[in-house]
């Protein structure tokens, strides 16, 4: 398909990748969106991702006339999806964890190199290379996430995503599967450009987890399973489908910060895993209490797809009739509506909030244990604590 376009980094952005950048972040505002560190990088990242998804040769031109139609279709489809916006949460977490791990390892950009334009340096410092590769991890995380959403919409026959018509609703299932595959292919090229086999292996495991998690979700729950067994299976599925991406991205940025510090790698991984599970639990809760406009998709969508999430599993302990509906995947007429009413009148919502809080606190413990805490570390902590009261 051609040479992978170079990802450009301004000196200003690289400076913010260092541990000294944290002074630009407002510690009084818990919102990650207000962080100059995150804003600058994520804004640039959205542009860089779009550049990676348009087939080009080394000069930036379409490779040949035969590719014009392919380029046009891919360009329209990918632009349509990314212009709808999104939380960009996964790259945000990756960037913050990378910055926190760099601080933990006392990495910083020498002042004499900051003042010199990159193009004029005889050699880029090892720290700048680390920052560039951590930035790429954020890109890859968002691209894998996006591809998985495109594929999920095909599997679920979803007509909306982020408040607009889904890609498959506009272009059909075949084209949607192909564009999801293409996004994964481009993400793989960026991953290989990092040139670190251990990082490549960690990030590649995300794809495996996504597939296995989807198979787990599609599987029929054994009728003899106990409530606790169902919950264990649900958390494992949640890890594979959601938390693995957070966890492995965090581990990868930690490996890039210091390849030999296994404790740092595991701490970063556990932060991502616990945050990812808390995030999905919050999504499960919002499926019952948020409006469709807030969620960007129909409410009670999981029930209509035959999925049993944490609030449902907890409610089953109080209302055995809900288990009967769960086993038939809420397929009978009125099942989804009746199940929603039962859940709303059970203690399933409160128990789910307690579970969110438990996983959030575990994530806080992991972030708090990082040495040389900086503003990025504090933002990771605030992000974990915000999951219980998240509104969308």
């Amino acid at each position: 398909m051609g040479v992978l376009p170079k990802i450009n980094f301004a000196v200003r952005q690289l400076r913010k990748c260092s541990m000294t950048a944290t002074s630009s972040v407002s510690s009084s505002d818990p919102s990650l969106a207000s962080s100059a560190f995150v804003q600058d990088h994520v804004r640039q990242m959205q542009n860089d991702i779009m550049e990676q998804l348009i087939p080009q040769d080394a000069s930036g031109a379409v490779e040949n006339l035969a590719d014009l139609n392919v380029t046009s279709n891919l360009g329209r489809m990918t632009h349509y999806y990314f212009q709808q916006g999104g939380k960009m949460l996964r790259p945000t977490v990756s960037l913050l964890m990378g910055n926190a791990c760099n601080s933990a390892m006392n990495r910083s950009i020498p002042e004499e190199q900051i003042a010199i334009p990159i193009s004029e340096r005889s050699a880029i410092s090892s720290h700048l290379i680390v920052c560039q590769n951590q930035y790429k991890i954020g890109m890859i995380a968002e691209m894998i996430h996006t591809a998985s959403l495109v594929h999920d919409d095909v599997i679920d026959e979803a007509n909306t995503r982020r408040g607009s018509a889904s890609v498959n609703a506009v272009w059909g299932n075949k084209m949607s599967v192909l564009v999801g595959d293409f996004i994964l292919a481009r993400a793989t090229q960026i991953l290989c450009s990092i040139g670190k086999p251990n990082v490549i292996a960690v990030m590649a495991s995300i794809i495996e987890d996504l597939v296995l998690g989807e198979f787990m979700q599609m599987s029929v729950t054994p009728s003899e399973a106990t409530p606790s067994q169902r919950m264990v299976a649900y958390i494992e599925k949640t890890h594979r489908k959601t938390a693995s991406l957070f966890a492995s991205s965090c581990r990868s940025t930690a490996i890039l910060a210091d390849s030999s510090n296994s404790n740092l790698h595991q701490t970063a991984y556990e932060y991502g895993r616990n945050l990812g599970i808390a995030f999905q639990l919050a999504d499960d809760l919002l499926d019952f209490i948020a409006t469709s406009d807030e969620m960007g998709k129909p409410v009670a969508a999981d029930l209509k797809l035959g999925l049993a999430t944490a609030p449902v599993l907890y409610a089953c302990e109080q209302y055995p009739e809900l288990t009967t509906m769960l086993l038939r995947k809420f397929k009978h007429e009125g099942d989804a509506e009746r199940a929603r009413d039962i859940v709303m009148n059970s203690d399933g919502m409160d128990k789910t909030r307690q579970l969110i809080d438990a996983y959030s606190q575990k994530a806080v413990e992991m972030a708090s244990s990082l040495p040389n805490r900086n503003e990025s570390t504090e933002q990771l902590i605030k992000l974990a604590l915000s999951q219980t009261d998240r509104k969308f």
Side-chain angles (χ1 to χ4, degrees):
M1 185 62 75
V3 179
L4 185 70
K6 182 179 179 181
I7 301 171
N8 296 314
F9 297 85
V11 174
R12 175 176 56 83
Q13 291 169 311
L14 287 169
R15 172 182 282 171
K16 286 180 178 172
C17 185
S18 75
M19 59 180 284
T20 61
T22 57
S23 60
S24 66
V25 182
S26 172
S27 60
S28 63
D29 190 341
S31 171
L32 285 171
S34 69
S35 166
F37 168 76
V38 172
Q39 278 187 328
D40 287 352
H41 283 75
V42 169
R43 186 182 301 114
Q44 181 62 42
M45 187 178 292
Q46 289 174 316
N47 295 332
D48 284 336
I49 288 174
M50 286 304 302
E51 288 183 10
Q52 302 305 307
L53 295 175
I54 305 299
Q56 299 171 333
D57 63 16
S59 68
V62 177
E63 293 178 18
N64 55 63
L65 291 177
D67 281 339
L68 280 174
N69 189 47
V70 172
T71 302
S72 178
N73 285 332
L74 285 172
R76 283 200 305 269
M77 294 174 73
T78 54
H79 184 264
Y80 174 83
Y81 195 94
F82 281 99
Q83 75 177 354
Q84 296 171 16
K87 300 181 183 73
M88 293 290 284
L89 178 62
R90 290 145 189 87
T92 294
V93 173
S94 298
L95 290 172
L96 289 173
M97 181 57 75
N99 188 268
C101 288
N102 293 342
S103 176
M105 294 298 101
N106 286 312
R107 287 186 177 274
S108 62
I109 301 175
E111 287 297 326
E112 64 272 15
Q113 289 201 30
I114 290 177
I116 303 173
I118 294 177
S119 60
E120 297 178 13
R121 296 177 193 155
S122 58
I124 299 177
S125 75
S126 61
H127 178 60
L128 294 183
I129 295 173
V130 166
C131 288
Q132 289 184 1
N133 286 335
Q134 289 171 334
Y135 180 90
K136 289 179 181 179
I137 293 299
M139 288 183 64
I140 295 160
E142 183 64 14
M143 293 169 78
I144 291 174
H145 172 59
T146 299
S148 72
L149 294 182
V150 173
H151 287 160
D152 277 354
D153 286 344
V154 173
I155 293 171
D156 298 338
E157 300 179 347
N159 293 318
T160 59
R161 170 67 66 178
R162 294 173 178 168
S164 301
S166 62
V167 171
N168 52 299
V170 178
W171 282 278
N173 288 341
K174 291 182 180 179
M175 291 290 283
S176 297
V177 170
L178 291 175
V179 79
D181 291 346
F182 179 75
I183 294 170
L184 286 175
R186 281 283 163 165
T188 302
Q189 286 182 290
I190 299 172
L191 178 59
C192 291
S193 74
I194 293 175
K196 302 287 185 181
N198 50 352
V199 172
I200 293 172
V202 170
M203 294 300 289
S205 70
I206 296 170
I207 309 296
E208 178 183 0
D209 280 336
L210 284 169
V211 174
L212 291 174
E214 190 62 43
F215 270 104
M216 289 182 69
Q217 183 165 285
M218 296 169 65
S219 300
V220 177
T221 304
S223 58
E224 66 275 12
T226 65
S228 61
Q229 289 173 329
R230 291 195 183 97
M231 183 59 75
V232 168
Y234 164 78
I235 293 297
E236 177 61 21
K237 184 268 294 182
T238 298
H239 164 74
R240 293 187 182 277
K241 279 201 55 132
T242 302
S244 173
L245 181 48
F246 287 93
S248 294
S249 298
C250 286
R251 187 195 289 274
S252 294
T253 62
I255 292 172
L256 290 167
D258 186 345
S259 61
S260 63
N261 192 331
S262 59
N263 288 335
L264 181 69
H265 306 165
Q266 192 61 28
T267 297
Y269 178 89
E270 290 298 331
Y271 173 86
R273 179 180 183 276
N274 285 291
L275 175 68
I277 293 175
F279 176 83
Q280 185 57 56
L281 287 166
D283 255 15
D284 294 344
L285 195 65
L286 289 169
D287 194 49
F288 286 92
I289 61 177
T291 66
S292 57
D293 287 340
E294 289 172 327
M295 293 294 287
K297 60 182 180 180
V299 294
D302 291 332
L303 285 174
K304 293 170 184 176
L305 289 171
L307 304 179
T309 55
V312 177
L313 294 175
Y314 280 128
C316 284
E317 297 175 7
Q318 280 182 279
Y319 299 91
E321 67 177 291
L322 191 55
T323 300
T324 303
M325 288 186 275
L326 180 156
L327 292 173
R328 62 179 181 240
K329 290 185 172 288
F330 312 104
K331 293 299 183 185
H332 288 189
E333 184 177 353
D335 272 0
E337 293 75 14
R338 174 60 181 153
R340 187 174 188 277
D341 288 341
I342 291 174
V343 172
M344 294 297 292
N345 288 287
S346 73
D347 61 7
M349 309 292 279
D350 288 337
K351 286 187 174 180
T352 299
R353 289 189 181 91
Q354 292 169 14
L355 192 59
I356 294 170
D357 188 59
Y359 278 102
S360 295
Q361 288 298 328
K362 290 178 184 177
V364 169
E365 290 174 15
M366 294 298 102
S368 299
S369 70
L370 292 169
N372 299 329
R373 284 171 60 167
N374 65 0
E375 187 59 36
S376 289
T377 315
E378 300 306 317
Q379 290 286 355
L380 289 170
I381 291 171
K382 290 174 183 177
L383 179 57
L385 291 173
S386 71
Q387 295 309 304
T388 303
D389 299 319
R390 185 159 62 86
K391 304 300 182 184
F392 56 89

